[in-house]
Protein backbone atom coordinates (compact mmCIF):
# COMPACT_ATOMS: atom_id res chain seq x y z
CA UNK A 1 0.00 0.00 0.00
CA UNK A 2 1.40 3.43 -1.06
CA UNK A 3 1.92 6.21 1.49
CA UNK A 4 0.36 9.40 -0.05
CA UNK A 5 0.82 11.56 3.04
CA UNK A 6 4.55 12.24 2.56
CA UNK A 7 4.31 13.45 -1.12
CA UNK A 8 1.38 15.65 -0.20
CA UNK A 9 3.38 17.33 2.57
CA UNK A 10 6.31 17.84 0.19
CA UNK A 11 4.06 19.53 -2.40
CA UNK A 12 2.62 21.86 0.25
CA UNK A 13 6.14 22.85 1.42
CA UNK A 14 7.16 23.50 -2.20
CA UNK A 15 4.09 25.65 -2.80
CA UNK A 16 4.80 27.60 0.38
CA UNK A 17 8.36 28.22 -0.78
CA UNK A 18 7.16 29.54 -4.15
CA UNK A 19 4.63 31.89 -2.52
CA UNK A 20 7.27 33.17 -0.09
CA UNK A 21 9.62 33.84 -3.01
CA UNK A 22 6.92 35.83 -4.86
CA UNK A 23 6.21 37.91 -1.75
CA UNK A 24 9.92 38.57 -1.26
CA UNK A 25 10.41 39.65 -4.87
CA UNK A 26 7.33 41.85 -4.64
CA UNK A 27 8.78 43.64 -1.63
CA UNK A 28 12.13 44.18 -3.38
CA UNK A 29 10.93 45.31 -6.82
CA UNK A 30 9.94 49.01 -7.22
CA UNK A 31 6.20 49.68 -7.24
CA UNK A 32 4.62 50.75 -10.53
CA UNK A 33 4.08 54.53 -10.65
CA UNK A 34 0.53 55.70 -10.01
CA UNK A 35 0.29 57.21 -13.50
CA UNK A 36 1.36 54.04 -15.33
CA UNK A 37 -2.19 52.83 -15.94
CA UNK A 38 -3.51 56.08 -17.53
CA UNK A 39 -0.38 56.24 -19.70
CA UNK A 40 -0.93 52.67 -20.84
CA UNK A 41 -4.54 53.47 -21.74
CA UNK A 42 -3.46 56.53 -23.69
CA UNK A 43 -0.90 54.46 -25.62
CA UNK A 44 -3.53 51.83 -26.39
CA UNK A 45 -5.85 54.58 -27.63
CA UNK A 46 -3.20 55.98 -29.95
CA UNK A 47 -2.16 52.60 -31.26
CA UNK A 48 -5.70 51.44 -31.92
CA UNK A 49 -7.45 54.53 -33.17
CA UNK A 50 -6.14 55.32 -36.67
CA UNK A 51 -8.82 58.05 -36.34
CA UNK A 52 -11.04 56.41 -39.01
CA UNK A 53 -14.69 56.76 -38.05
CA UNK A 54 -14.00 59.56 -35.57
CA UNK A 55 -14.79 63.25 -35.46
CA UNK A 56 -11.99 65.27 -33.86
CA UNK A 57 -13.40 68.48 -32.36
CA UNK A 58 -10.80 71.25 -32.47
CA UNK A 59 -11.67 74.05 -30.05
CA UNK A 60 -9.92 77.22 -31.23
CA UNK A 61 -8.28 79.13 -28.38
CA UNK A 62 -5.42 80.85 -30.15
CA UNK A 63 -4.72 81.90 -33.76
CA UNK A 64 -1.47 83.47 -34.99
CA UNK A 65 -1.87 85.76 -36.87
CA UNK A 66 -5.55 86.09 -36.01
CA UNK A 67 -6.53 87.98 -39.17
CA UNK A 68 -5.61 85.18 -41.57
CA UNK A 69 -7.23 82.20 -39.80
CA UNK A 70 -10.47 81.34 -38.00
CA UNK A 71 -9.74 82.71 -34.53
CA UNK A 72 -12.70 81.40 -32.53
CA UNK A 73 -15.33 78.68 -32.40
CA UNK A 74 -14.50 75.11 -33.39
CA UNK A 75 -13.53 72.96 -36.36
CA UNK A 76 -14.69 69.36 -36.61
CA UNK A 77 -12.46 67.12 -38.69
CA UNK A 78 -13.93 63.79 -39.82
CA UNK A 79 -11.57 60.94 -40.68
CA UNK A 80 -12.68 58.68 -43.52
CA UNK A 81 -11.19 55.58 -45.16
CA UNK A 82 -8.23 55.58 -47.58
CA UNK A 83 -6.47 58.46 -45.80
CA UNK A 84 -9.19 61.02 -46.51
CA UNK A 85 -10.79 63.69 -44.30
CA UNK A 86 -13.49 66.36 -44.41
CA UNK A 87 -14.06 69.30 -42.06
CA UNK A 88 -16.47 72.05 -41.16
CA UNK A 89 -16.42 74.82 -38.59
CA UNK A 90 -18.52 77.48 -36.90
CA UNK A 91 -17.97 80.57 -34.77
CA UNK A 92 -16.65 83.82 -36.18
CA UNK A 93 -15.22 84.34 -39.65
CA UNK A 94 -12.90 82.22 -41.79
CA UNK A 95 -14.63 78.88 -41.41
CA UNK A 96 -15.26 76.77 -44.52
CA UNK A 97 -16.07 73.28 -45.73
CA UNK A 98 -12.86 71.46 -46.63
CA UNK A 99 -11.48 68.05 -47.57
CA UNK A 100 -8.15 66.43 -48.31
CA UNK A 101 -5.73 63.62 -47.56
CA UNK A 102 -3.55 62.90 -44.54
CA UNK A 103 -0.66 60.81 -43.24
CA UNK A 104 -0.32 59.94 -39.57
CA UNK A 105 2.64 58.97 -37.42
CA UNK A 106 3.50 58.61 -33.74
CA UNK A 107 5.60 61.51 -32.45
CA UNK A 108 5.85 60.33 -28.84
CA UNK A 109 4.10 57.98 -26.41
CA UNK A 110 0.96 60.15 -26.27
CA UNK A 111 1.35 62.25 -29.41
CA UNK A 112 0.16 61.86 -32.98
CA UNK A 113 1.48 64.03 -35.79
CA UNK A 114 -0.60 64.46 -38.91
CA UNK A 115 0.52 65.87 -42.26
CA UNK A 116 -2.42 67.10 -44.31
CA UNK A 117 -2.94 68.16 -47.91
CA UNK A 118 -5.99 70.36 -48.52
CA UNK A 119 -7.91 69.78 -51.78
CA UNK A 120 -9.03 73.42 -51.86
CA UNK A 121 -5.62 74.86 -52.68
CA UNK A 122 -4.73 75.87 -49.12
CA UNK A 123 -1.55 73.80 -49.26
CA UNK A 124 -0.16 71.58 -46.53
CA UNK A 125 -0.36 71.73 -42.76
CA UNK A 126 0.93 69.76 -39.78
CA UNK A 127 -1.17 69.01 -36.69
CA UNK A 128 0.13 67.58 -33.41
CA UNK A 129 -2.39 65.89 -31.13
CA UNK A 130 -1.12 65.56 -27.55
CA UNK A 131 -3.42 63.18 -25.67
CA UNK A 132 -3.98 64.03 -22.01
CA UNK A 133 -6.52 61.19 -21.74
CA UNK A 134 -7.74 58.54 -24.22
CA UNK A 135 -10.37 60.83 -25.79
CA UNK A 136 -8.79 64.27 -25.88
CA UNK A 137 -6.03 66.71 -25.07
CA UNK A 138 -4.39 69.68 -26.81
CA UNK A 139 -3.65 70.37 -30.47
CA UNK A 140 -1.44 72.69 -32.52
CA UNK A 141 -1.84 73.10 -36.28
CA UNK A 142 0.89 74.83 -38.29
CA UNK A 143 0.77 76.31 -41.79
CA UNK A 144 3.55 77.77 -43.95
CA UNK A 145 6.38 76.22 -41.91
CA UNK A 146 4.97 77.50 -38.62
CA UNK A 147 4.32 81.09 -39.70
CA UNK A 148 0.59 80.56 -39.04
CA UNK A 149 -0.81 78.49 -36.18
CA UNK A 150 -4.08 77.43 -34.61
CA UNK A 151 -4.22 75.74 -31.20
CA UNK A 152 -6.48 74.75 -28.32
CA UNK A 153 -8.07 71.68 -26.77
CA UNK A 154 -9.66 68.78 -28.64
CA UNK A 155 -12.05 65.93 -27.98
CA UNK A 156 -13.13 62.95 -30.07
CA UNK A 157 -16.56 61.56 -30.89
CA UNK A 158 -17.90 58.84 -33.20
CA UNK A 159 -18.78 60.07 -36.68
CA UNK A 160 -21.84 57.80 -36.74
CA UNK A 161 -23.05 57.95 -33.13
CA UNK A 162 -25.62 55.64 -31.62
CA UNK A 163 -28.54 57.34 -29.83
CA UNK A 164 -26.69 56.91 -26.52
CA UNK A 165 -23.58 58.57 -27.97
CA UNK A 166 -25.47 61.60 -29.34
CA UNK A 167 -24.86 63.93 -26.41
CA UNK A 168 -25.17 67.44 -27.89
CA UNK A 169 -28.80 68.47 -28.56
CA UNK A 170 -29.85 69.60 -32.02
CA UNK A 171 -31.12 72.86 -30.46
CA UNK A 172 -30.88 74.61 -27.12
CA UNK A 173 -34.27 76.33 -27.54
CA UNK A 174 -36.38 75.71 -24.45
CA UNK A 175 -33.38 75.10 -22.19
CA UNK A 176 -31.80 76.79 -19.20
CA UNK A 177 -28.01 76.52 -19.32
CA UNK A 178 -26.24 77.12 -16.00
CA UNK A 179 -22.66 78.24 -16.65
CA UNK A 180 -20.15 77.99 -13.80
CA UNK A 181 -17.23 80.34 -14.45
CA UNK A 182 -13.95 78.56 -13.60
CA UNK A 183 -11.54 80.84 -15.46
CA UNK A 184 -11.55 84.31 -16.99
CA UNK A 185 -8.55 85.79 -18.83
CA UNK A 186 -8.54 89.44 -19.95
CA UNK A 187 -5.00 90.87 -20.30
CA UNK A 188 -6.28 94.24 -21.58
CA UNK A 189 -8.73 94.86 -18.71
CA UNK A 190 -8.09 95.77 -15.06
CA UNK A 191 -9.19 93.20 -12.45
CA UNK A 192 -12.67 93.61 -11.05
CA UNK A 193 -14.40 94.98 -14.15
CA UNK A 194 -15.43 91.53 -15.38
CA UNK A 195 -16.57 88.36 -13.57
CA UNK A 196 -13.82 85.87 -12.74
CA UNK A 197 -16.09 83.43 -10.86
CA UNK A 198 -19.78 82.87 -10.32
CA UNK A 199 -22.78 81.49 -12.16
CA UNK A 200 -24.67 82.75 -15.21
CA UNK A 201 -28.07 81.27 -16.02
CA UNK A 202 -28.80 81.56 -19.75
CA UNK A 203 -32.40 80.86 -20.81
CA UNK A 204 -33.07 80.15 -24.50
CA UNK A 205 -36.33 80.77 -26.36
CA UNK A 206 -37.37 79.23 -29.68
CA UNK A 207 -37.49 82.66 -31.38
CA UNK A 208 -33.69 83.06 -31.20
CA UNK A 209 -33.61 85.24 -28.08
CA UNK A 210 -32.16 84.53 -24.65
CA UNK A 211 -31.87 86.12 -21.23
CA UNK A 212 -28.99 86.17 -18.75
CA UNK A 213 -29.12 86.15 -14.93
CA UNK A 214 -25.80 86.60 -13.16
CA UNK A 215 -24.91 85.44 -9.66
CA UNK A 216 -21.55 86.51 -8.23
CA UNK A 217 -19.19 89.53 -8.34
CA UNK A 218 -19.12 91.28 -11.68
CA UNK A 219 -22.01 89.31 -13.22
CA UNK A 220 -25.11 91.13 -14.46
CA UNK A 221 -28.51 90.57 -16.00
CA UNK A 222 -28.89 91.10 -19.72
CA UNK A 223 -30.50 89.76 -22.89
CA UNK A 224 -29.46 88.78 -26.40
CA UNK A 225 -29.96 86.92 -29.65
CA UNK A 226 -28.27 83.67 -30.59
CA UNK A 227 -27.57 81.10 -33.31
CA UNK A 228 -26.74 77.55 -32.21
CA UNK A 229 -25.14 74.83 -34.36
CA UNK A 230 -24.36 71.23 -33.46
CA UNK A 231 -21.12 70.21 -35.17
CA UNK A 232 -20.66 66.65 -33.88
CA UNK A 233 -22.05 64.14 -31.40
CA UNK A 234 -20.56 66.03 -28.44
CA UNK A 235 -19.76 69.54 -29.69
CA UNK A 236 -21.91 72.59 -30.47
CA UNK A 237 -21.12 76.24 -31.17
CA UNK A 238 -23.26 79.23 -30.20
CA UNK A 239 -22.86 82.74 -31.62
CA UNK A 240 -24.57 85.42 -29.55
CA UNK A 241 -24.99 89.19 -29.38
CA UNK A 242 -25.28 90.11 -25.69
CA UNK A 243 -26.90 93.43 -24.75
CA UNK A 244 -26.89 95.08 -21.32
CA UNK A 245 -27.23 98.63 -19.99
CA UNK A 246 -23.45 99.04 -20.45
CA UNK A 247 -22.50 97.21 -23.66
CA UNK A 248 -23.58 95.35 -26.78
CA UNK A 249 -20.96 92.76 -27.68
CA UNK A 250 -20.68 89.44 -29.56
CA UNK A 251 -19.35 86.19 -28.19
CA UNK A 252 -18.71 82.69 -29.46
CA UNK A 253 -19.31 79.72 -27.15
CA UNK A 254 -18.08 76.14 -27.62
CA UNK A 255 -19.98 73.48 -25.68
CA UNK A 256 -18.32 70.08 -25.17
CA UNK A 257 -20.88 67.65 -23.77
CA UNK A 258 -19.73 64.90 -21.38
CA UNK A 259 -23.31 63.76 -20.73
CA UNK A 260 -26.60 64.70 -22.45
CA UNK A 261 -27.02 67.62 -20.02
CA UNK A 262 -23.57 68.62 -18.78
CA UNK A 263 -20.00 69.27 -19.86
CA UNK A 264 -17.47 72.06 -20.34
CA UNK A 265 -17.69 75.43 -22.13
CA UNK A 266 -15.26 77.94 -23.60
CA UNK A 267 -16.27 81.47 -24.55
CA UNK A 268 -14.48 84.07 -26.67
CA UNK A 269 -16.14 87.33 -25.60
CA UNK A 270 -15.89 90.47 -27.76
CA UNK A 271 -13.35 89.00 -30.20
CA UNK A 272 -10.86 87.95 -27.55
CA UNK A 273 -11.31 90.75 -25.03
CA UNK A 274 -12.22 88.14 -22.37
CA UNK A 275 -11.85 84.37 -22.58
CA UNK A 276 -14.08 82.47 -20.18
CA UNK A 277 -14.25 78.75 -19.45
CA UNK A 278 -15.93 76.43 -17.00
CA UNK A 279 -18.56 73.74 -16.61
CA UNK A 280 -22.27 73.72 -17.43
CA UNK A 281 -25.52 71.91 -16.74
CA UNK A 282 -28.74 72.13 -18.74
CA UNK A 283 -32.37 71.61 -17.75
CA UNK A 284 -35.77 72.39 -19.31
CA UNK A 285 -37.32 75.82 -18.86
Amino acid sequence: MHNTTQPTRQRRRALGTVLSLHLLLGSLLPAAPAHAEPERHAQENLAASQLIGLDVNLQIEKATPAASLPNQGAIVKRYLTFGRWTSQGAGGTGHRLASGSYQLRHAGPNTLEERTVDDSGYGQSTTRYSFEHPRGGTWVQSFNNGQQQLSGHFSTAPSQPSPAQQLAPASNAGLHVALIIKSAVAPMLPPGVYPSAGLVLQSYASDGTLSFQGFGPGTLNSKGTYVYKRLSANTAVEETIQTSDFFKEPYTMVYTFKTPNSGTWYQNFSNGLIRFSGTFDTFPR
Side-chain angles (χ1 to χ4, degrees):
M1 184 174 181
H2 295 289
N3 184 351
T4 60
T5 304
Q6 187 66 20
T8 300
R9 289 175 179 171
Q10 291 175 350
R11 287 195 298 271
R12 288 175 178 171
R13 281 197 293 269
L15 179 60
T17 301
V18 171
L19 291 174
S20 298
L21 182 60
H22 277 292
L23 291 172
L24 176 62
L25 289 174
S27 66
L28 294 176
L29 292 173
H35 61 275
E37 191 70 9
E39 283 187 358
R40 182 177 70 82
H41 287 318
Q43 290 170 1
E44 287 176 353
N45 174 79
L46 296 181
S49 74
Q50 301 302 315
L51 299 183
I52 294 174
L54 290 180
D55 286 350
V56 178
N57 310 292
L58 307 174
Q59 180 173 284
I60 300 171
E61 299 170 21
K62 187 176 181 181
T64 308
S68 62
L69 297 167
N71 64 0
Q72 53 190 299
I75 299 168
V76 172
K77 197 166 188 178
R78 176 165 295 183
Y79 288 86
L80 312 174
T81 55
F82 306 111
R84 301 290 298 170
W85 59 269
T86 62
S87 71
Q88 62 170 323
T93 60
H95 289 285
R96 60 190 179 87
L97 296 175
S99 63
S101 59
Y102 72 94
Q103 292 180 328
L104 200 64
R105 73 177 186 90
H106 292 276
N110 295 318
T111 303
L112 289 178
E113 184 175 273
E114 173 196 294
R115 294 185 181 275
T116 294
V117 176
D118 193 311
D119 291 339
S120 307
Y122 282 78
Q124 300 182 0
S125 64
T126 300
T127 305
R128 289 178 69 90
Y129 297 113
S130 299
F131 282 76
E132 297 175 343
H133 52 83
R135 291 177 297 279
T138 61
W139 66 284
V140 179
Q141 186 174 33
S142 299
F143 306 84
N144 298 325
N145 296 316
Q147 296 181 40
Q148 299 170 294
Q149 283 193 341
L150 291 173
S151 61
H153 286 80
F154 75 91
S155 66
T156 61
S159 299
Q160 303 295 328
S162 67
Q165 294 170 321
Q166 184 66 73
L167 303 180
S171 170
N172 55 6
L175 290 178
H176 292 299
V177 180
L179 305 175
I180 303 296
I181 301 171
K182 298 288 189 178
S183 173
V185 178
M188 304 300 292
L189 296 177
V193 301
Y194 60 91
S196 58
L199 181 150
V200 179
L201 182 65
Q202 302 189 173
S203 303
Y204 295 84
S206 58
D207 63 358
T209 63
L210 77 160
S211 62
F212 303 77
Q213 288 180 273
F215 303 89
T219 62
L220 46 76
N221 296 339
S222 57
K223 60 184 179 179
T225 59
Y226 73 94
V227 176
Y228 171 98
K229 183 177 183 179
R230 181 173 66 192
L231 287 178
S232 76
N234 68 343
T235 299
V237 172
E238 171 193 319
E239 295 182 81
T240 295
I241 302 295
Q242 184 178 358
T243 303
S244 75
D245 293 337
F246 310 101
F247 63 81
K248 182 177 182 179
E249 296 290 344
Y251 73 69
T252 297
M253 180 99 77
V254 180
Y255 291 106
T256 302
F257 285 79
K258 305 294 181 66
T259 75
N261 59 4
S262 66
T264 61
W265 61 281
Y266 179 85
Q267 184 186 110
N268 182 319
F269 180 82
S270 189
N271 297 306
L273 181 65
I274 312 173
R275 298 177 189 272
F276 295 102
S277 62
T279 60
F280 72 87
D281 285 273
T282 72
F283 51 96
R285 293 182 61 172

